[in-house]
Amino acid sequence: MPFRSKATLETWLDEFHRSREAGDLIRVAVQDGSEGGDTGLVLVPLRTAHISIYMEPIEIGDARWRVTLEPQTETTVLTSFELQHLAAELSVAAELCAFLEAKSVGHVED
């Protein structure tokens, strides 16, 4: 059954960074699965807004990932330049999610 450990996700994230040279703040954290296994959790900090974004597999055995945007407590006011930067950061997050889904297809953890 497909499984993604923290070590596997860090390897995939390194590959993503090398191919795109983007998303340098993105990191992998330990997330305990239902049986206590390390399933990995991808954290996507943003420079432009105070929104928390993280990615995780929808479920073990499914190659799809879900992206969660947690609400912020304060209002974000941006200039047009800052809004373009935020859009670029969100685009990198979307690319990473698609990359992780592609890597997850048929992946079997050792």
Side-chain angles (χ1 to χ4, degrees):
M1 129 174 55
F3 179 77
R4 303 99 173 156
S5 68
K6 183 176 187 287
T8 296
L9 291 175
E10 286 173 339
T11 300
W12 291 356
L13 188 54
D14 287 343
E15 182 180 337
F16 179 81
H17 285 141
R18 285 191 311 271
S19 66
R20 289 170 180 75
E21 297 183 9
D24 56 320
L25 296 179
I26 299 169
R27 66 186 188 283
V28 181
V30 173
Q31 179 183 24
D32 292 331
S34 59
E35 297 175 10
D38 167 22
T39 61
L41 180 69
V42 179
L43 307 176
V44 184
L46 301 176
R47 287 187 170 104
T48 310
H50 301 286
I51 301 169
S52 296
I53 297 178
Y54 61 89
M55 299 176 191
E56 61 189 333
I58 289 178
E59 62 184 40
I60 299 296
D62 192 335
R64 295 175 302 154
W65 284 63
R66 77 173 131 235
V67 178
T68 302
L69 285 78
E70 292 188 334
Q72 60 185 22
T73 57
E74 52 194 68
T75 301
T76 299
V77 179
L78 305 171
T79 65
S80 61
F81 176 77
E82 292 166 330
L83 183 58
Q84 288 174 342
H85 191 261
L86 176 59
E89 289 182 302
L90 293 174
S91 179
V92 169
E95 286 180 40
L96 176 60
C97 188
F99 177 84
L100 294 172
E101 288 178 336
K103 295 295 281 187
S104 294
V105 172
H107 172 75
V108 177
E109 193 77 19
D110 294 330

